[in-house]
Amino acid sequence: MNRIAFEEPRSAPAATTNIIIRDALESDLPVIVDIYNATVPTRMVTAELEPTTVEARLPWFREHSLDQHPFWVAENDFCVIGWLDFKKFLPRCAYRGTAEISVYVDEKFRRQGVGRRLLEKAIVRAPSLGITAIVGLIFAHNEPSLKLFGRLGFHRWGFLPRIAQLDGNKCDLVIMGRHLPAR
Ligand SMILES: CC(C)(COP(=O)(O)OP(=O)(O)OC[C@H]1O[C@@H](n2cnc3c(N)ncnc32)[C@H](O)[C@@H]1OP(=O)(O)O)[C@@H](O)C(=O)NCCC(=O)NCCS
């Protein structure tokens, strides 16, 4: 498989000193989708095989709610450069305290602490959202993401071998999880 090298050098943090994290607006969706779509051809991140559209993603965006499954963007100098969302891990009631999160940073702004800041905020805010466990579903070959989650106290809770097929290659999925104190 042609994989893009993901060992981006760590850049000077100056570019992201003005970063703020705020609730996402529907008007942010085109940039959110662009950031997402840029990862599709890498076959490193998402099981989506073709780029998606704003229209296709609108229902997904609207499923989020401020009080349990928020959607945040990281903004630098009024430009959205990354995002993080919470979603239900599984629909059954007993899992209501567990959320799945996804985090994406614009390629141009990686290795500047944006992903870490988004994830740190998720960890801090989760208890007040009624969330006591967070999981990330990450391809086993997505090293940057596994490292990011590992660095923030997530552990490998699950391993699903050869569960995804990407261009003829069978890929493993890792479930990274972290418990949080109940509020
Ligand atoms: C994973 C991702 C969100 C990291 O975002 P980022 O802003 O570049 O990460 P940060 O700069 O905050 O890095 C925090 C830590 O993560 C790890 N990390 C991040 N990128 C890394 C890379 N390319 N190689 C190795 N470790 C990496 C490091 O431990 C880093 O700490 P350090 O810089 O002190 O060494 C980003 O690479 C991305 O958007 N990838 C595509 C989407 C994705 O894979 N999402 C996860 C699945 S939901």
Side-chain angles (χ1 to χ4, degrees):
M1 187 191 315
N2 261 344
R3 283 186 198 138
I4 290 177
F6 258 72
E7 276 294 333
E8 295 108 332
R10 208 198 295 222
S11 0
T16 50
T17 44
N18 297 328
I19 187 173
I20 60 157
I21 297 174
R22 61 165 174 79
D23 291 319
L25 305 169
E26 242 171 63
S27 55
D28 298 318
L29 197 50
V31 187
I32 289 167
V33 168
D34 281 349
I35 293 171
Y36 178 80
N37 277 343
T39 69
V40 172
T42 70
R43 302 295 192 243
M44 285 280 292
V45 179
T46 170
E48 199 91 65
L49 300 175
E50 297 296 332
T52 187
T53 62
V54 170
E55 195 185 19
R57 283 286 161 164
L58 202 50
W60 160 75
F61 183 82
R62 288 180 177 164
E63 275 168 20
H64 294 83
S65 61
L66 293 178
D67 57 337
Q68 200 190 12
H69 295 109
F71 200 129
W72 299 326
V73 290
E75 199 182 69
N76 185 58
D77 287 339
F78 305 105
C79 292
V80 170
I81 59 169
W83 57 267
L84 180 147
D85 81 319
F86 289 74
K87 56 180 160 285
K88 280 184 188 169
F89 168 60
L90 284 170
R92 301 275 187 242
C93 292
Y95 293 113
R96 66 181 169 273
T98 300
E100 182 193 337
I101 55 171
S102 300
V103 55
Y104 283 73
V105 174
D106 183 325
E107 286 164 340
K108 298 186 289 299
F109 292 90
R110 290 190 188 156
R111 297 310 306 261
Q112 297 179 48
V114 180
R116 179 178 50 76
R117 286 170 71 170
L118 283 161
L119 209 46
E120 280 172 353
K121 176 163 170 145
I123 291 164
V124 169
R125 279 287 303 282
S128 66
L129 300 166
I131 292 168
T132 52
I134 309 180
V135 295
L137 274 51
I138 301 169
F139 283 142
H141 57 275
N142 186 348
E143 217 179 293
S145 186
L146 291 172
K147 285 202 169 143
L148 170 68
F149 278 68
R151 206 171 165 117
L152 289 176
F154 285 72
H155 293 283
R156 188 162 131 163
W157 284 357
F159 182 80
L160 285 67
R162 302 182 305 284
I163 196 170
Q165 188 141 343
L166 298 174
D167 300 334
N169 295 294
K170 294 204 167 133
C171 300
D172 307 330
L173 187 71
V174 174
I175 301 175
M176 295 294 283
R178 185 189 152 135
H179 286 296
L180 302 156
R183 205 168 187 211

